[in-house]
Amino acid sequence: MATTLFDKVWDSHVVRHVEDGPDVFFIDRHFIHEVTSPVAFLGLESRGNSVLYPERTFATADHNTPTINQHLPVEDALSANQLDALERNAKKHGISHWGLGDVNNGIVHVVGPENGITLPGATIVCGDSHTSTHGAFGAIAFGIGTSEVEMVLSTQCIMQSKPKAMRINVNGKLGLGVTPKDVALYIISKQTTSGATGFFVEYAGDVFEDMTMEGRMTVCNLSIEMGARGGMIAPDEKTFEYIKGRSQTPKGADWDKAMEYWKTLKTDEGAQFDVEFNYDAADIEPMITYGTNPGMGMGVTNSIPTAESVKGGVETYRKSLGYMDFHEGDSMIGKKIDFVFLGSCTNGRIEDFRAFCSVVKGRKKADHVTAWLVPGSHKVVDQIKEEGLDKIITEAGFVLREPGCSACLAMNDDKIPAGKLSVSTSNRNFEGRQGPGSRTLLASPLVAAASAVEGVVTDPRTLLV
Amino acid sequence: MAYDKFEVLTSTAYPLPIENVDTDQIIPARFLKATERKDFDINFFRDWRFNADGTPKADFPLNKEIYAGSKILVGGRNFGSGSSREHAAWSVYDFGLRCVISSEFADIFKNNCLNVGVLPVQVSAEFADKLFAAIEADPKTEIKVDLPSQTVTLVATGESESFDINLYKKDNMLNGFDDIDYLKNIEGEITEFAANRPF
């Protein structure tokens, strides 16, 4: 029978199906970080359980970590406490741990693939919704809660009902200045923030086939923003090329055996999805959001839609625009901005820094703009330096910071002040997401760079030609 | 995580008829720095409940005396979207709520609720509207959530709707069990499965 990629990976991980209930679902790789794991370890210990497969668990510190002076003790006592707890728990239970200062440290969804922990056909979970990122490799990867973190630590399984399957096809050629981030924001704007609730998404079509692994990670990362449990893309030669030789990937005969399996990981001709959508690459522009959820996005040159023209509650829509201090019919181009954030598990990889630099090279940062450029990992920092991007950044008046989640969720000191407007390459524009009262416009690294240079929301295409 | 059994709950309810309430609103990220699970009620809907100076916002439903002590929250469509933080479900529970009713929930939030003893009840958009209207007409409106019969009822009028929950999760809620109890019981089956994984 013709089956989907999703079915193949899911079904091969079902230990047992519970009558009128969820599946007992086996997890190959488990990432933990300092924020959502301490209570799970307390639960584990209070029940007298141990970690069943410590070698399948990987710990990194990212959410709380400062992005300057990482060689000094962490000043925020509560953050330091969580970081200590992660290190202590990892050591006690035999889990590998990349704390602050470790060469492998960085954002969990950046360092996982970098180290070859993320593999095709694997199941991957983490107490973080953007675990969907790892679906770019043809893995089933999704975010879980802390109770489930405890479950995976103590049993390597979770109880999970199988989601429905959706396929999103995007075909054609992307235009100038249109990046994977724009493709994702475009899809979310069509689907709304709940359009894929209850589904797992496969992305297919030549746009994703042509995309780099890093671009695919950006797209899968944002799957959660339309309500999907996760998104995935069938592995291909590009995928195998990316993972080959990384520290944790299978080697020698194990590699050959794995390759044999990985090559079967694609949706069969004629396999049925519960629902399918088709989009045309030519319709996608550089995108920007204007509201307080990632579904409230549009082409950067468009005007904010009226409440009546969008689906959903009119009152909720107006409340959102009220928070942003925007009005129906406003153009986004030319709006004065205060902050720019380049980074996060969505856009903190080397290609994002290359894109940013392609715009700012030979130009200067606008004086009134504060910009935080935060690489996703130390390996990204090293690449930035090797490629000389750090010089472009410095000459344009920017400063490169140290890795971490930073102003994506503002758990550390990198907070956008109340009322200030930020162009952010991260994944969420919720009320107060980047700090209480902060206002966020989600966009690609190109839009962020163009806006940082001009000091107002800018269409990057005007600077690329 | 141990929690009290859930069978039948009759209570007044807090109305929150706003769509797409994300977990960053339910509990903002800056309050996720604890290493223990306690007192998450204090920062429940922090920025919607309190002004910057810490004084309560009088017109926010969770602050209105008339609803005080309710054990049910009726939320707008797509409740609990965004971040996977279980702290959001903890804050619901710690605030004294045992049930959230909405016409649609985000998946991870729904799972988290079920794992910590909060029953997510998904009703039709029409029934959700009926609940909001009834609460608006009379803030002391009582709602009965009956897990064994899987029904939610407006006590005054008897108007009722059934809701879905799979039998496994229902049994857990009725008995105060959780998934770890179940999984530890089949550990042999799990380790046998793991031994055959290719990587």
Side-chain angles (χ1 to χ4, degrees), chain A residues 29 31 55-58 96-98 104 111-119 243-251 254-255 262 379, chain B residues 199:
Chain A
R29 302 281 187 273
F31 294 112
E55 68 277 17
R56 292 182 179 276
T57 311
F58 303 85
S96 53
H97 170 249
W98 298 325
N104 287 320
V111 300
E114 272 178 357
N115 286 282
I117 297 165
T118 304
L119 296 175
I243 56 179
K244 195 166 191 177
R246 293 185 185 260
S247 64
Q248 306 275 337
T249 42
K251 307 279 187 303
D254 287 343
W255 170 268
W262 291 339
K379 287 203 171 81
Chain B
F199 43 76

Side-chain angles (χ1 to χ4, degrees), chain A residues 106-425:
Chain A
I107 304 174
V108 57
H109 310 308
V110 176
V111 300
E114 272 178 357
N115 286 282
I117 297 165
T118 304
L119 296 175
T123 51
I124 301 170
V125 295
C126 172
D128 185 282
S129 61
H130 292 105
T131 308
S132 60
T133 311
H134 309 272
F137 294 78
I140 288 182
F142 53 87
I144 57 175
T146 296
S147 294
E148 292 168 312
V149 172
E150 184 188 337
M151 255 172 249
V152 179
L153 289 172
S154 51
T155 70
Q156 206 58 38
C157 288
I158 58 171
M159 306 295 289
Q160 197 68 35
S161 297
K162 190 175 179 179
K164 288 177 285 186
M166 176 187 290
R167 182 158 63 185
I168 293 178
N169 306 291
V170 187
N171 285 293
K173 286 273 172 250
L174 295 174
L176 176 75
V178 180
T179 70
K181 178 66 165 290
D182 302 301
V183 175
L185 287 177
Y186 176 83
I187 294 170
I188 301 164
S189 76
K190 296 291 176 195
Q191 290 289 331
T192 79
T193 187
S194 62
T197 297
F199 287 91
F200 214 94
V201 177
E202 179 178 346
Y203 299 97
D206 47 28
V207 162
F208 304 109
E209 286 163 21
D210 291 347
M211 228 175 240
T212 63
M213 287 312 295
E214 297 200 350
R216 293 177 190 180
M217 282 188 248
T218 299
V219 170
C220 289
N221 172 281
L222 288 160
S223 304
I224 184 74
E225 307 307 342
M226 55 180 165
R229 279 321 297 272
M232 68 198 305
I233 295 172
D236 59 9
E237 286 305 320
K238 230 180 256 182
T239 316
F240 308 139
E241 187 60 32
Y242 180 97
I243 56 179
K244 195 166 191 177
R246 293 185 185 260
S247 64
Q248 306 275 337
T249 42
K251 307 279 187 303
D254 287 343
W255 170 268
D256 297 338
K257 203 171 139 208
M259 274 294 280
E260 230 172 277
Y261 168 54
W262 291 339
K263 285 184 172 167
T264 68
L265 295 175
K266 58 183 86 164
T267 292
D268 300 330
E269 196 75 33
Q272 289 296 306
F273 288 81
D274 294 292
V275 60
E276 202 152 355
F277 294 92
N278 295 291
Y279 299 112
D280 187 344
D283 293 339
I284 308 175
E285 274 193 280
M287 298 285 293
I288 196 150
T289 63
Y290 54 85
T292 56
N293 72 55
M296 297 173 77
M298 62 183 188
V300 67
T301 59
N302 292 351
S303 303
I304 297 176
T306 60
E308 284 74 21
S309 69
V310 295
K311 278 188 277 180
V314 169
E315 288 309 309
T316 301
Y317 185 81
R318 296 219 163 105
K319 177 182 184 296
S320 175
L321 290 191
Y323 178 86
M324 293 301 291
D325 196 19
F326 292 161
H327 304 92
E328 295 166 45
D330 278 4
S331 166
M332 294 302 292
I333 294 287
K335 277 196 188 294
K336 190 179 173 201
I337 61 157
D338 308 292
F339 282 78
V340 165
F341 172 56
L342 175 67
S344 84
C345 58
T346 310
N347 283 125
R349 300 182 177 81
I350 187 63
E351 288 176 9
D352 303 312
F353 280 82
R354 286 181 196 142
F356 190 89
C357 288
S358 73
V359 172
V360 305
K361 186 175 186 181
R363 297 190 166 96
K364 291 280 182 205
K365 177 182 84 65
D367 285 341
H368 69 272
V369 170
T370 302
W372 290 326
L373 312 190
V374 185
S377 72
H378 286 288
K379 287 203 171 81
V380 175
V381 175
D382 292 345
Q383 275 176 294
I384 287 171
K385 290 181 177 162
E386 271 168 37
E387 297 180 18
L389 300 178
D390 54 330
K391 288 193 186 67
I392 296 173
I393 287 168
T394 312
E395 280 164 14
F398 298 97
V399 177
L400 194 63
R401 299 173 78 91
E402 293 172 282
C405 296
S406 181
C408 175
L409 82 169
M411 275 196 77
N412 65 0
D413 291 335
D414 304 345
K415 290 179 175 58
I416 311 294
K420 298 294 183 189
L421 190 61
S422 155
V423 175
S424 174
T425 63

Side-chain angles (χ1 to χ4, degrees), chain B residues 1-131:
Chain B
M1 200 66 62
Y3 54 82
D4 294 334
K5 296 175 183 183
F6 192 113
E7 287 181 37
V8 179
L9 173 68
T10 302
S11 168
T12 55
Y14 296 100
L16 199 58
I18 299 169
E19 296 190 359
N20 305 322
V21 170
D22 58 79
T23 54
D24 271 74
Q25 307 317 312
I26 298 174
I27 188 154
R30 62 190 190 279
F31 303 118
L32 308 185
K33 297 195 181 195
T35 50
E36 291 175 85
R37 204 214 122 166
K38 60 174 188 185
D39 302 334
F40 281 97
D41 54 319
I42 298 165
N43 298 311
F44 183 48
F45 277 105
R46 176 75 202 194
D47 293 334
W48 288 10
R49 259 168 82 201
F50 300 100
N51 295 303
D53 65 3
T55 55
K57 295 181 180 177
D59 61 348
F60 188 61
L62 293 175
N63 289 332
K64 289 187 178 169
E65 188 58 36
I66 193 89
Y67 304 122
S70 295
K71 297 199 174 304
I72 298 170
L73 175 75
V74 186
R77 194 187 61 80
N78 191 29
F79 194 86
S81 58
S83 163
S84 60
R85 60 190 68 167
E86 192 168 303
H87 312 68
W90 299 339
S91 67
V92 170
Y93 189 92
D94 289 0
F95 192 73
L97 299 165
R98 290 301 309 277
C99 175
V100 181
I101 302 174
S102 169
S103 61
E104 185 180 318
F105 288 96
D107 286 327
I108 304 180
F109 178 76
K110 191 176 182 176
N111 274 348
N112 287 342
C113 282
L114 286 165
N115 283 334
V116 305
V118 173
L119 182 66
V121 172
Q122 189 159 325
V123 295
S124 66
E126 294 72 30
F127 198 74
D129 287 345
K130 209 170 270 181
L131 295 177

Side-chain angles (χ1 to χ4, degrees), chain A residues 16-42:
Chain A
R16 174 196 277 195
H17 179 71
V18 178
E19 194 65 31
D20 194 20
D23 290 337
V24 175
F25 191 66
F26 187 79
I27 303 302
D28 292 312
R29 302 281 187 273
H30 183 200
F31 294 112
I32 58 173
H33 61 83
E34 75 275 20
V35 176
T36 58
S37 70
V39 172
F41 279 104
L42 284 182

Side-chain angles (χ1 to χ4, degrees), chain B residues 120-185:
Chain B
V121 172
Q122 189 159 325
V123 295
S124 66
E126 294 72 30
F127 198 74
D129 287 345
K130 209 170 270 181
L131 295 177
F132 284 129
I135 297 167
E136 195 178 346
D138 175 10
K140 287 292 177 193
T141 290
E142 284 197 313
I143 298 169
K144 181 179 168 190
V145 178
D146 184 327
L147 179 57
S149 74
Q150 295 178 222
T151 54
V152 51
T153 307
L154 269 166
V155 174
T157 63
E159 286 170 283
S160 179
E161 192 172 273
S162 60
F163 61 86
D164 283 340
I165 181 170
N166 70 49
L167 190 60
Y168 167 85
K169 281 292 181 191
K170 181 176 173 176
D171 277 350
N172 274 0
M173 288 291 288
L174 288 171
N175 293 301
F177 293 160
D178 70 12
D179 293 347
I180 295 174
D181 301 327
Y182 182 91
L183 290 169
K184 285 307 278 185
N185 274 325

